[in-house]
CSV table of all heavy atoms in Angstrom, one decimal:
chain,number,residue,atom,x,y,z
Z,13,SER,N,-38.0,171.7,-29.8
Z,13,SER,CA,-37.2,170.5,-30.3
Z,13,SER,C,-35.8,170.9,-30.8
Z,13,SER,O,-34.9,170.1,-30.9
Z,13,SER,CB,-38.0,169.8,-31.4
Z,13,SER,OG,-38.2,170.6,-32.5
Z,17,GLU,N,-29.2,169.5,-26.7
Z,17,GLU,CA,-29.1,168.6,-25.5
Z,17,GLU,C,-27.7,168.4,-25.2
Z,17,GLU,O,-26.8,168.2,-26.1
Z,17,GLU,CB,-29.7,167.2,-25.9
Z,17,GLU,CG,-31.2,167.3,-26.2
Z,17,GLU,CD,-32.0,166.4,-25.4
Z,17,GLU,OE1,-31.4,165.5,-24.8
Z,17,GLU,OE2,-33.2,166.5,-25.4
Z,20,GLU,N,-23.5,165.1,-20.1
Z,20,GLU,CA,-22.3,165.2,-19.2
Z,20,GLU,C,-21.3,164.2,-19.5
Z,20,GLU,O,-21.5,163.0,-19.5
Z,20,GLU,CB,-22.8,165.1,-17.7
Z,20,GLU,CG,-21.8,165.3,-16.7
Z,20,GLU,CD,-22.3,165.2,-15.3
Z,20,GLU,OE1,-23.0,166.1,-14.8
Z,20,GLU,OE2,-22.0,164.1,-14.7
Z,22,TYR,N,-18.0,164.4,-17.8
Z,22,TYR,CA,-17.3,164.2,-16.6
Z,22,TYR,C,-17.6,165.4,-15.6
Z,22,TYR,O,-17.7,166.5,-16.1
Z,22,TYR,CB,-15.8,164.1,-16.8
Z,22,TYR,CG,-15.0,163.8,-15.5
Z,22,TYR,CD1,-14.9,162.5,-15.0
Z,22,TYR,CD2,-14.3,164.8,-14.8
Z,22,TYR,CE1,-14.2,162.3,-13.8
Z,22,TYR,CE2,-13.6,164.6,-13.7
Z,22,TYR,CZ,-13.5,163.3,-13.2
Z,22,TYR,OH,-12.8,163.0,-12.0
Z,24,ASN,N,-16.7,166.9,-11.4
Z,24,ASN,CA,-16.2,166.7,-10.1
Z,24,ASN,C,-16.8,167.9,-9.2
Z,24,ASN,O,-17.6,168.6,-9.7
Z,24,ASN,CB,-14.6,166.7,-10.1
Z,24,ASN,CG,-14.0,168.0,-10.6
Z,24,ASN,OD1,-14.6,169.0,-10.7
Z,24,ASN,ND2,-12.7,168.0,-10.8
Z,25,GLU,N,-16.3,168.1,-8.0
Z,25,GLU,CA,-16.8,169.1,-7.2
Z,25,GLU,C,-16.6,170.5,-7.7
Z,25,GLU,O,-17.3,171.4,-7.3
Z,25,GLU,CB,-16.3,169.0,-5.7
Z,25,GLU,CG,-14.8,169.0,-5.6
Z,25,GLU,CD,-14.1,167.7,-5.9
Z,25,GLU,OE1,-14.8,166.6,-6.0
Z,25,GLU,OE2,-12.9,167.7,-6.1
Z,40,LEU,N,-17.5,173.7,-20.9
Z,40,LEU,CA,-16.8,173.6,-19.6
Z,40,LEU,C,-17.5,174.5,-18.6
Z,40,LEU,O,-17.6,175.7,-18.8
Z,40,LEU,CB,-15.3,174.0,-19.8
Z,40,LEU,CG,-14.5,174.2,-18.5
Z,40,LEU,CD1,-14.3,172.9,-17.8
Z,40,LEU,CD2,-13.1,174.8,-18.8
Z,42,PHE,N,-17.0,175.7,-15.0
Z,42,PHE,CA,-16.0,175.8,-14.0
Z,42,PHE,C,-16.0,177.2,-13.4
Z,42,PHE,O,-16.1,178.2,-14.1
Z,42,PHE,CB,-14.6,175.5,-14.6
Z,42,PHE,CG,-13.5,175.6,-13.6
Z,42,PHE,CD1,-13.3,174.5,-12.7
Z,42,PHE,CD2,-12.6,176.7,-13.6
Z,42,PHE,CE1,-12.2,174.6,-11.8
Z,42,PHE,CE2,-11.6,176.7,-12.6
Z,42,PHE,CZ,-11.4,175.7,-11.8
Z,43,ALA,N,-15.9,177.3,-12.1
Z,43,ALA,CA,-15.8,178.6,-11.4
Z,43,ALA,C,-17.1,179.4,-11.7
Z,43,ALA,O,-17.0,180.6,-11.8
Z,43,ALA,CB,-14.6,179.3,-11.7
Z,44,GLY,N,-18.2,178.7,-11.8
Z,44,GLY,CA,-19.5,179.4,-12.0
Z,44,GLY,C,-19.8,179.9,-13.3
Z,44,GLY,O,-20.7,180.7,-13.5
Z,45,THR,N,-18.9,179.6,-14.3
Z,45,THR,CA,-19.2,180.1,-15.7
Z,45,THR,C,-19.1,178.9,-16.7
Z,45,THR,O,-18.4,177.9,-16.5
Z,45,THR,CB,-18.2,181.2,-16.1
Z,45,THR,OG1,-16.9,180.6,-16.1
Z,45,THR,CG2,-18.2,182.4,-15.2
Z,50,LYS,N,-14.3,174.4,-28.8
Z,50,LYS,CA,-14.1,173.4,-29.8
Z,50,LYS,C,-13.2,172.3,-29.2
Z,50,LYS,O,-12.5,172.6,-28.2
Z,50,LYS,CB,-13.4,174.0,-31.0
Z,50,LYS,CG,-14.3,175.0,-31.8
Z,50,LYS,CD,-13.5,175.5,-33.0
Z,50,LYS,CE,-14.4,176.5,-33.8
Z,50,LYS,NZ,-13.7,177.0,-35.0
Z,55,LEU,N,-8.5,170.5,-25.9
Z,55,LEU,CA,-7.2,169.8,-25.8
Z,55,LEU,C,-6.0,170.7,-25.5
Z,55,LEU,O,-5.1,170.4,-24.7
Z,55,LEU,CB,-6.9,168.9,-27.1
Z,55,LEU,CG,-7.9,167.8,-27.3
Z,55,LEU,CD1,-7.7,167.2,-28.7
Z,55,LEU,CD2,-7.9,166.8,-26.2
Z,74,SER,N,7.2,183.0,-2.9
Z,74,SER,CA,6.9,184.3,-3.6
Z,74,SER,C,5.4,184.5,-3.8
Z,74,SER,O,4.7,183.5,-4.2
Z,74,SER,CB,7.7,184.4,-4.9
Z,74,SER,OG,7.2,185.4,-5.7
Z,89,ARG,N,-12.0,183.1,-22.8
Z,89,ARG,CA,-11.7,183.4,-21.4
Z,89,ARG,C,-10.3,183.2,-21.0
Z,89,ARG,O,-9.6,182.3,-21.5
Z,89,ARG,CB,-12.6,182.4,-20.5
Z,89,ARG,CG,-12.3,182.7,-19.0
Z,89,ARG,CD,-13.3,182.0,-18.2
Z,89,ARG,NE,-13.0,182.2,-16.8
Z,89,ARG,CZ,-13.3,181.4,-15.8
Z,89,ARG,NH1,-14.0,180.3,-16.0
Z,89,ARG,NH2,-12.9,181.7,-14.6
Z,100,ALA,N,-8.0,171.4,-9.3
Z,100,ALA,CA,-9.4,171.0,-9.6
Z,100,ALA,C,-9.6,171.0,-11.1
Z,100,ALA,O,-10.3,170.1,-11.6
Z,100,ALA,CB,-10.4,171.9,-8.8
Z,115,ASN,N,-14.8,156.6,-24.8
Z,115,ASN,CA,-16.0,156.5,-25.6
Z,115,ASN,C,-15.6,156.3,-27.1
Z,115,ASN,O,-16.2,155.5,-27.8
Z,115,ASN,CB,-16.8,157.8,-25.5
Z,115,ASN,CG,-18.1,157.8,-26.2
Z,115,ASN,OD1,-18.7,156.7,-26.3
Z,115,ASN,ND2,-18.5,158.9,-26.8
Z,117,MET,N,-12.8,154.8,-28.2
Z,117,MET,CA,-12.3,153.4,-28.3
Z,117,MET,C,-13.5,152.4,-28.3
Z,117,MET,O,-13.5,151.5,-29.1
Z,117,MET,CB,-11.3,153.1,-27.2
Z,117,MET,CG,-10.0,153.8,-27.4
Z,117,MET,SD,-8.7,153.3,-26.3
Z,117,MET,CE,-9.4,153.5,-24.7
Z,127,ALA,N,-16.5,147.6,-45.5
Z,127,ALA,CA,-15.7,147.0,-46.6
Z,127,ALA,C,-15.3,147.9,-47.6
Z,127,ALA,O,-15.8,148.9,-47.9
Z,127,ALA,CB,-16.4,145.8,-47.2
Side-chain angles (χ1 to χ4, degrees):
S13 62
E17 298 233 347
E20 184 179 284
Y22 182 79
N24 65 12
E25 57 280 345
L40 170 66
F42 181 75
T45 62
K50 292 181 180 179
L55 294 173
S74 165
R89 181 170 175 204
N115 187 34
M117 289 190 303

